[in-house]
Every structure is written in structure tokens, then in C-alpha cells.
Amino acid sequence: IVCYDGAGVFSAPRAWWQFRAFGHRGVSVLDGGLPAWKLDGLATVAGASPPAVRAGAPAWRATSEPSGSLRTLAQMRTIVADGCASSQVVDARAAGRFEGSAPEPRANCVSGHMPGARSLPFTKLLRPLADGSDGTRFASVDELDAAFADARVDLTRPLVMSCGSGMTACVLALAAARLGRDDAAVYDGSWAEWGARTDVPIVTGGP
């Protein structure tokens, strides 16, 4: 399975992660998505496509991923309570939202971050397409590695990615996979869940 989206790199990594979370490992993302495809002059079609079924392909049923690629609120409480010693929490939201200086787009959420989390806005992992359009693709491997290092993320330790709604955290997870960390987890509820609660710790300021 190859996933792509209309922004270049935005929602396709979530589809990649979702398939993997339910046990389907044969999934990839088209870097640059549909904008890059069109920029390269490749063919497109209109209308619905028929389901692609490969003759003789084994039946597949969704299962929970054994490696535990999903983190729940209860698991995040435990991680934060131990000072993120067991896993690094990496936040993909914009720096202002992380620091608490910019409002959240959801009225029921306060801005700020989980104690011990690192800030790595997902946009730092992307680059514009060559035509200067709004489309994006991943930065080079060296640039990705530098971005994680600048955010003080140790790629040798367990990773949990978070964001506003569970979407762009998957951009971080896919970037980590490109650097050899194929096991990064995603906090599915992300800030839409954590930031709306009054019974969890929330701090402001830099990481």
C-alpha cells in the first residue's frame, strides 16, 4: 500500500501509521504526495478507481500491533509521572502552542505542554517543492537527523510522538523511521485530549 495526500506531506503519514498500528506492515508514503507527482509530469486520472485486489493474495485481518505503536491517556500519565524517563515525548505542534504563548485552535484546550516533553514542530522536517507551491516533501536524511538533534531528542531511546490531534505526530514518527527508528509510538489522543483535561499536569515555557 502506498499512501499520499494533496498537501505533499501532511495526512498520509497518519494513514501509514494507522495501517501499521493494526498490523499491516507493507505500507509506504509517497514523498511529496500528489503535488510532487504532478510536478514530475506523471499521469493522473479522474473518477473513482476500482478496488485493487491481487489474485492469490492472502486474506488480511486487522490486529493490534504487537510492538505497541499506540499510547493511551493512561500510558501517557505513567510516562509523564516518571519524568519521561521511560520514553521521550516529542511534540509536533508549533512552538508557540507548546510554550503556551499562542492559543490552541480548539476552544476547550489550553496551550502548554506535558512536563518533560521536547518540542519539534513537524514543519521543521519538511521542505517546499521545487516549484515554490504550497506542497511539501521530507527534508534530507541529514537535515532530519539535525532537526531531532537540535530538539534534544535522543534517537537511541524509546519515542512517543504527540501533536494537536494525532495527525502530525505521525509525520514525526515517519521521519524517525527514515532515520532507522521504526518503532516510535504515537499518543493517539494527543493535545486534543491532554490539553482539554484539568486532572493532568500542563506546563508552559521552553522545553
Side-chain angles (χ1 to χ4, degrees):
I1 296 173
V2 179
C3 304
Y4 68 89
D5 61 53
V9 177
F10 183 67
S11 57
R14 171 70 193 199
W16 167 84
W17 175 82
Q18 196 83 46
F19 275 112
R20 290 165 58 91
F22 287 97
H24 197 302
R25 307 291 293 187
V27 58
S28 302
V29 168
L30 175 62
D31 191 16
L34 188 59
W37 183 269
K38 290 180 175 179
L39 184 61
D40 286 347
L42 299 171
T44 61
V45 296
S49 299
V53 180
R54 188 175 65 194
W60 176 76
R61 291 185 179 276
T63 58
S64 294
E65 176 57 56
S67 66
S69 59
L70 182 149
R71 294 293 178 271
T72 64
L73 174 63
Q75 290 170 316
M76 295 307 296
R77 287 182 190 272
T78 300
I79 291 169
V80 171
D82 75 3
C84 297
S86 60
S87 296
Q88 295 174 102
V89 178
V90 190
D91 195 318
R93 292 175 300 148
R97 293 167 62 187
F98 179 91
E99 295 167 358
S101 60
E104 286 293 311
R106 298 168 183 83
N108 65 325
C109 292
V110 298
S111 57
H113 60 273
M114 303 173 208
R118 301 294 189 197
S119 175
L120 179 51
F122 79 98
T123 52
K124 291 189 174 183
L125 305 177
L126 307 179
R127 297 293 180 267
L129 295 181
D131 65 346
S133 67
D134 291 336
T136 56
R137 66 174 65 220
F138 272 109
S140 69
V141 169
D142 287 344
E143 289 172 318
L144 294 178
D145 191 51
F148 277 97
D150 288 346
R152 294 184 296 150
V153 176
D154 183 352
L155 290 172
T156 68
R157 293 184 53 212
L159 300 167
V160 181
M161 311 308 195
S162 182
C163 61
S165 63
M167 180 77 73
T168 58
C170 300
V171 175
L172 268 58
L174 181 53
R178 296 195 69 191
L179 295 173
R181 284 303 307 272
D182 201 32
D183 57 350
V186 169
Y187 172 27
D188 198 29
S190 282
W191 203 252
E193 180 174 54
W194 192 277
R197 303 185 69 91
T198 59
D199 59 349
V200 294
I202 295 174
V203 295
T204 57

